[in-house]
Amino acid sequence: YICRAVIIPRLLDLSRVTFDLRRLAGSEGVDRYLSVDLLTPEWLPQETPREHRERQSRVAALRDDFCHGRIATINDCVTRNLDLIRIALDLIERHPETETVRRIRHALHALRICDPTCGTGDFLLAAFEVLLPLHQACRRRLGEPGPVCTDAAHLLRHTLHGQDVHPGAVEVCRMRCLLRAAAVGQQP
């Protein structure tokens, strides 16, 4: 969660992209950016009657905020715990101007993430999982050829950086990142 809530807003700040969430969501409305569990009208396992009412009330409030334009910035989306990755992907895939996609692509290449206490790399791997689909979506939208392993390699070489006081932890982190990138390269 922290990874998405920090990286996506920073990326949009770097790219200087503004957006109209209502236009971006289309006919699906804010439901497009809500979790399935939140939208489920049925009772969730272990949910109390009070929790069920509060969850339903929260969905109604989010829909009302959306309809009345009170969700206007990426920070509003973070505050309301909307699906930031879906919003970023929609910006890339649905925005009418390809110049906006080029700015996002440029921001992706300019972005640097450093974890000064990386340990075994959990935060860096989460960042990898957030950024790789955005790289791929930009590549598709702009018609740029190339395998997915190119984007994975770029992330590992230029975007993601980590250090730790324990050299063994750094080696584990490096190996985990390399294995994840190799797995991406093997996917069809």
Side-chain angles (χ1 to χ4, degrees):
Y1 170 79
I2 290 173
C3 191
R4 291 187 308 269
V6 171
I7 291 173
I8 301 294
R10 179 64 183 144
L11 178 67
L12 296 182
D13 284 345
L14 280 173
S15 63
R16 300 190 194 300
V17 169
T18 58
F19 59 94
D20 179 350
L21 191 63
R22 290 186 289 180
R23 180 178 293 163
L24 197 61
S27 62
E28 293 175 73
V30 75
D31 290 7
R32 180 168 178 78
Y33 307 117
L34 299 179
S35 73
V36 173
D37 288 340
L38 193 60
L39 289 172
T40 300
E42 295 85 26
W43 290 66
L44 297 175
Q46 309 297 319
E47 188 174 45
T48 66
R50 183 176 142 262
E51 290 168 335
H52 182 76
R53 281 190 310 275
E54 287 177 4
R55 183 168 55 84
Q56 298 304 314
S57 175
R58 174 152 168 71
V59 169
L62 286 167
R63 287 175 176 156
D64 186 63
D65 285 350
F66 180 80
C67 288
H68 290 94
R70 291 188 289 261
I71 306 175
T73 67
I74 193 65
N75 291 333
D76 295 335
C77 297
V78 172
T79 301
R80 288 167 176 87
N81 201 24
L82 301 183
D83 185 345
L84 300 178
I85 295 174
R86 178 76 262 154
I87 291 169
L89 286 170
D90 281 355
L91 272 169
I92 294 165
E93 295 166 354
R94 294 180 170 194
H95 201 283
E97 300 173 12
T98 55
E99 181 55 34
T100 298
V101 180
R102 282 189 186 89
R103 288 199 325 257
I104 293 172
R105 179 76 165 163
H106 179 73
L108 280 167
H109 283 280
L111 187 66
R112 300 293 178 263
I113 297 170
C114 180
D115 184 353
T117 57
C118 69
T120 58
D122 290 339
F123 184 81
L124 294 174
L125 283 170
F128 182 89
E129 297 299 330
V130 166
L131 294 171
L132 186 63
L134 300 179
H135 272 276
Q136 293 171 307
C138 283
R139 186 183 289 277
R140 278 191 308 273
R141 176 75 191 277
L142 295 172
E144 296 175 358
V148 66
C149 60
T150 303
D151 294 323
H154 175 83
L155 285 171
L156 294 182
R157 286 190 194 119
H158 303 289
T159 304
L160 305 175
H161 308 278
Q163 61 186 33
D164 201 288
V165 294
H166 299 291
V170 173
E171 286 304 313
V172 171
C173 175
R174 182 177 289 125
M175 186 57 65
R176 288 180 71 200
C177 289
L178 289 172
L179 287 172
R180 181 62 189 115
V184 166
Q186 298 298 316
Q187 294 175 356

